[in-house]
């Protein structure tokens, strides 16, 4: 469960978590968003309000909320590539669960007639067309 402490300006760094993501607010008014599972840093946002007030941050619902004194800012985390990648990787299954990688390699080579096909060669051969897999 998340926590948010009302602390003095000297209590840094501050950590808030929503279960899947954590945000670390530091005394230099930087908020860094991390995954809780493996502590991969997804993005860092620098507060630009220019005020030397107490700074804190929270993360949740694809948003980062920072507070500097009475100034509250909301940032959309979905515009950051690291955050989008993390969300995407948590949504689907790996191809390894569907088909053995060596088997897929053989299918891709046979379908395209090349030893190392790229996506643009694979798409018409496997995803659509006469020999599409599905």
């Amino acid at each position: 469960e998340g926590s948010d402490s009302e602390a003095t300006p000297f209590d840094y760094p501050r950590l808030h978590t929503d279960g899947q993501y954590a945000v670390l607010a530091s005394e230099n008014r930087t908020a860094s968003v991390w995954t809780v599972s493996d502590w991969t840093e997804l993005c860092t946002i620098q507060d630009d309000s220019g005020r030397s007030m107490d700074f804190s941050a929270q993360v949740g619902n694809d948003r980062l909320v920072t507070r500097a004194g009475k100034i509250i800012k909301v940032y959309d985390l979905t515009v950051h590539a690291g955050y989008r990648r993390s969300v995407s990787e948590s949504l689907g299954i790996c191809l390894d669960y569907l088909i053995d990688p060596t088997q897929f390699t053989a299918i891709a080579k046979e379908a395209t007639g090349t030893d190392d096909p790229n996506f643009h060669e694979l798409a018409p051969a496997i995803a659509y067309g006469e020999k599409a897999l599905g």
Side-chain angles (χ1 to χ4, degrees), residues 2 6 9 16 18 23 26 34 47 50 60 62-63 75 81 85 91 93 95 100-101 104 109-110 119-120 123 131:
E6 291 297 323
H16 175 268
D18 77 340
V23 62
S26 64
W34 304 74
D47 178 60
D62 295 332
R63 302 286 185 264
Y75 299 90
R85 181 180 59 251
L91 293 178
I93 61 171
L95 182 61
D100 178 61
F104 180 76
K109 286 180 180 180
E110 183 180 337
F119 173 80
H120 299 287
K131 297 181 182 180

Side-chain angles (χ1 to χ4, degrees), residues 88-109 117 119 122 126-127 133-134:
S88 174
E89 289 174 353
S90 70
L91 293 178
I93 61 171
C94 179
L95 182 61
D96 292 352
Y97 288 103
L98 300 177
I99 188 169
D100 178 61
T102 55
Q103 184 182 7
F104 180 76
T105 301
I107 292 169
K109 286 180 180 180
F119 173 80
L122 283 172
I126 293 178
L133 296 178

Side-chain angles (χ1 to χ4, degrees), residues 12-93:
Y12 289 103
R14 293 181 178 169
L15 180 68
H16 175 268
T17 181
D18 77 340
Q20 187 173 359
Y21 301 101
V23 62
L24 185 68
S26 64
E27 64 273 8
N28 64 355
R29 305 166 63 78
T30 300
S32 300
V33 180
W34 304 74
T35 60
V36 171
S37 62
D38 62 2
W39 293 104
T40 301
E41 185 175 10
L42 303 177
C43 64
T44 299
I45 296 174
Q46 177 73 43
D47 178 60
D48 60 357
S49 64
R51 298 181 182 237
S52 60
M53 297 179 183
D54 195 24
F55 180 70
S56 64
Q58 291 186 350
V59 63
N61 298 324
D62 295 332
R63 302 286 185 264
L64 173 69
V65 179
T66 63
R67 180 179 57 82
K70 294 182 181 180
I71 299 171
I72 296 175
K73 292 185 179 182
V74 179
Y75 299 90
D76 181 2
L77 292 174
T78 63
V79 301
H80 296 278
Y83 185 83
R84 285 195 314 269
R85 181 180 59 251
S86 172
V87 170
S88 174
E89 289 174 353
S90 70
L91 293 178
I93 61 171

